[in-house]
Amino acid sequence: MKKILEVRNLEVSFDTYAGEVQAVRDVSFNLYEGETLAIVGESGSGKSVTAKSLMRLNPEPPARYKGGEILFYGENILNKKEKEMQEIRGSKIGMIFQDPMTSLNPTMTVGKQIMEALIKHQKVKGSKARETALEMLRMVQIPNPEKRFDEYPHQFSGGMRQRVMIAIALVCNPQILIADEPTTALDVTIQAQILDLMKDLQDKINTSIILITHDLGVVAHSAQRIIVMYGGKIVESGSTDQIFYKSRHPYTWGLLNSVPRLDIKKEDGRLDSIEGTPPDLFAPPQGCPFADRCEYAMEICRKKMPPKFEIEENQHSACWLNHEFAPKVDNPTQIAKSLQKKEVQSNEK
Amino acid sequence: MKNDKEILIKVRNLKKYFNIDKNVYLKAVDDVSFDIYKGETLGLVGESGCGKSTIGRTILNIYHATSGTVEYKGSNIYKLKGKEAKDFTKKAQLIFQDPYASLNPRMLVSNIIGEGIDIHKLSSGQERMNRIHELLELVGLNKEHANRFPHEFSGGQRQRIGIARALALDPEFIVCDEPISALDVSIQAQVVNLLKDLQEKMGLTYLFIAHDLSMVRYISDRVAVMYLGSMMELANSNELYENPLHPYTKALLSAIPIPDPQVQRKRERIVLEGDVPSPINPPKGCKFADRCPMAKEKCKNERPKLEEVKENHFVACHYWKEVENEI
């Protein structure tokens, strides 16, 4: 697969009155053509800041890119001027935001908002742009596109607005689509429609999608690869199956165990919660950011940040438990156990 | 099962219409009847705008019902006067969705929690302070937190303060209006566990309103599904999830992605076309008829009633038998 984006040792900080918030610390990952990569993490884990950095959308200041590089087709985005960034935004990289109510312009018709990107980036004339924009509205399955074209965002429902956002983001056929919690504000039946739509469009125009979410169900449904972030760092990365079934990081375990499942019978047990709260990024711990909440934490965890251990091909986990001298701990999640059971059963047969 | 349980709250033909213009009404809750048993958790689910929060507030008499009755231990709460009315506000409490907006930023935590104690003149001075400390410890915070302001706390901690406030008057019944929606996944589990522990300890009854159906299945004994102001189905939680009899419930359940990639890839989804109709002019017949894959002529003209079709399983659909056979 062709690599289209490479993030190397990215460091992003915010300078505030209270001091420096180290939001993203030493983050590296690749994005390949046509794939869906999910970034999972809680609020404050740095997932949105990472994604916004790819488009330089974090206002500078207070944001400051302390180090690292973001290579988009070999060119470092962090060295580009604002003018050059404007050529990339909306044309080569598109973005969908969480809240479709506030991210559309309420004073512009929906059609105009879709045409805006076309006229700016592809220098097409009005009538041609209108045609393409109408085609786009049809593609995102808005009924009656000719009539809806001249309506304003407030005349659309939440799900319809999110469709319009997708149309705007994809109208210039971008190579990358960043979807920042695209369905969090929507109801589940609408969420299902939007996720299906994104998948269809991805097949049609072969865009790579970076999906930022905290909903593990959405991730299981849509992603091929997953990055798990915590306290500004990537703690684990791998394919969807590797992360769900063969994770080697206690934070991922905790995350997987703390969500109840719809398809599993209610028992009177408790949910396995992760006690405590995420670290303070004003003064991030010098060791592993999860050490304070981790039930397996060892002495070294508080002193030294664990390196990326390779678990399998393409799976990396930043946890000292994977060191050869560490005590052996089995993956304790329900989901891993259920898979082992299935495997044992199929072997017996 | 049904008879040996004491009914704590009995809701009959409850309607709440909001007058939004001359002779234009938004029918947020449209003729809903159900019971809540003592000591249980009744989950109330549905999409946004289906009237689930309005039900919660109307039951507590925060919104005045348009018509219908709510009985608490046999007496109609809308007819209570004087001391009895004040007593009801002690026994029934509410936990809000947004822990950032529901705590007064200018009040100390001790005064937020103690406000109810002051209003009902339950205690004062050191006794009041002791009670506040006790409550803080009950919800997993500590005494020192009493003298701080809400902004000094994280979302999960604020929600704990909200819970402590609800518990201050020894309530019997608590409406939890999406208490975990604004929290992170790992924190959600902490708060849900806390609510469960408190229920066991104090014998509380919950009406748990949420749109996260997985969490509702986990916490509730029974679950009610709402759509556009009407109750579509009500059953024990395992029964509802394993054997849904309403086409809407089926579609809703199938739309929720399961956090297990191998299971999720094999699932078939019922994708509903279109959006929820406006509650201002809801359809004359079954409210779900426009989007229902099984709708027939009768559905468009005649509104089905919520009926007990099996023991403890209520459904409002003319053709529930066909839904059952389809599975």
Side-chain angles (χ1 to χ4, degrees), chain A residues 186-258:
Chain A
L186 305 175
D187 283 315
V188 279
T189 57
I190 310 296
Q191 164 174 297
Q193 293 173 2
I194 297 290
L195 291 178
D196 278 1
L197 176 72
M198 280 173 52
K199 216 167 206 176
D200 285 352
L201 294 177
Q202 184 177 31
D203 291 344
K204 252 182 224 162
I205 58 181
N206 201 27
T207 304
S208 311
I209 297 181
I210 296 181
L211 178 70
I212 299 162
T213 179
H214 61 260
D215 185 333
L216 292 172
V218 170
V219 173
H221 178 78
S222 307
Q224 280 109 43
R225 283 198 311 132
I226 301 174
I227 290 174
V228 183
M229 287 191 71
Y230 187 81
K233 285 189 173 270
I234 294 181
V235 292
E236 194 167 21
S237 63
S239 74
T240 301
D241 282 22
Q242 280 167 339
I243 297 293
F244 273 91
Y245 302 115
K246 293 177 179 166
S247 160
R248 290 301 306 159
H249 198 289
Y251 176 63
T252 315
W253 298 341
L255 213 54
L256 287 169
N257 257 353
S258 60

Side-chain angles (χ1 to χ4, degrees), chain B residues 19-296:
Chain B
N19 192 349
I20 50 174
D21 204 347
K22 208 176 170 188
N23 294 327
V24 181
Y25 290 93
L26 187 149
K27 299 182 175 175
V29 177
D30 198 4
D31 201 358
V32 168
S33 305
F34 61 95
D35 298 327
I36 303 174
Y37 299 118
K38 195 166 166 39
E40 78 164 347
T41 302
L42 176 67
L44 192 56
V45 297
E47 300 179 78
S48 45
C50 71
K52 53 190 192 304
S53 290
T54 310
I55 285 196
R57 289 172 186 222
T58 316
I59 289 179
L60 297 179
N61 208 1
I62 294 174
Y63 292 156
H64 299 286
T66 307
S67 71
T69 59
V70 175
E71 284 178 20
Y72 175 76
K73 291 187 170 169
S75 48
N76 185 350
I77 63 156
Y78 300 127
K79 296 261 164 68
L80 295 176
K81 292 226 163 63
K83 190 180 175 303
E84 284 180 327
K86 208 170 172 186
D87 274 348
F88 175 70
T89 61
K90 246 198 293 190
K91 291 296 166 202
Q93 289 287 329
L94 180 61
I95 299 170
F96 297 90
Q97 168 173 5
D98 187 346
Y100 292 86
S102 59
L103 302 177
N104 188 336
R106 293 158 183 252
M107 275 166 84
L108 284 173
V109 167
S110 58
N111 293 334
I112 291 175
I113 297 175
E115 198 175 17
I117 300 176
D118 300 341
I119 289 172
H120 291 276
K121 302 194 178 68
L122 294 181
S123 58
S124 58
Q126 194 54 44
E127 202 186 327
R128 170 179 178 270
M129 222 44 212
N130 287 344
R131 173 74 181 143
I132 289 165
H133 290 162
E134 188 191 343
L135 285 162
L136 280 171
E137 275 161 14
L138 189 66
V139 297
L141 298 170
N142 53 48
K143 278 188 205 171
E144 289 75 45
H145 289 139
N147 290 320
R148 296 200 189 159
F149 286 99
H151 76 263
E152 298 174 64
F153 296 90
S154 68
Q157 286 176 317
R158 282 173 199 228
Q159 203 52 293
R160 288 172 193 268
I161 297 171
I163 294 171
R165 168 173 65 185
L167 293 174
L169 301 170
D170 277 324
E172 293 184 346
F173 174 61
I174 298 183
V175 174
C176 309
D177 191 358
E178 308 229 19
I180 51 167
S181 310
L183 306 175
D184 272 318
V185 204
S186 72
I187 311 292
Q188 282 188 359
Q190 291 176 7
V191 172
V192 164
N193 284 338
L194 173 67
L195 286 171
K196 273 194 129 174
D197 290 347
L198 292 171
Q199 182 170 41
E200 268 169 40
K201 239 185 254 173
M202 312 170 68
L204 297 168
T205 305
Y206 291 139
L207 177 67
F208 192 89
I209 301 169
H211 63 259
D212 179 346
L213 279 89
S214 319
M215 197 56 98
V216 169
R217 169 170 199 175
Y218 174 77
I219 195 172
S220 310
D221 300 302
R222 293 189 307 147
V223 177
V225 180
M226 300 227 4
Y227 184 80
L228 207 61
S230 296
M231 201 167 271
M232 295 307 205
E233 192 164 2
L234 170 63
N236 289 334
S237 70
N238 285 336
E239 165 79 4
L240 184 93
Y241 285 91
E242 274 156 25
N243 190 18
L245 294 180
H246 198 287
Y248 176 64
T249 314
K250 262 185 91 174
L252 195 63
L253 293 177
S254 84
I256 296 161
I258 288 176
D260 183 336
Q262 294 192 357
V263 174
Q264 178 60 22
R265 276 174 214 136
K266 281 184 213 139
R267 285 176 86 219
E268 263 181 54
R269 280 221 310 262
I270 308 167
V271 177
L272 292 177
E273 297 297 324
D275 284 323
V276 184
S278 155
I280 294 169
N281 249 326
K284 176 171 76 141
C286 173
K287 292 185 172 170
F288 185 56
D290 294 349
R291 298 173 81 195
C292 180
M294 313 182 66
K296 299 191 176 118

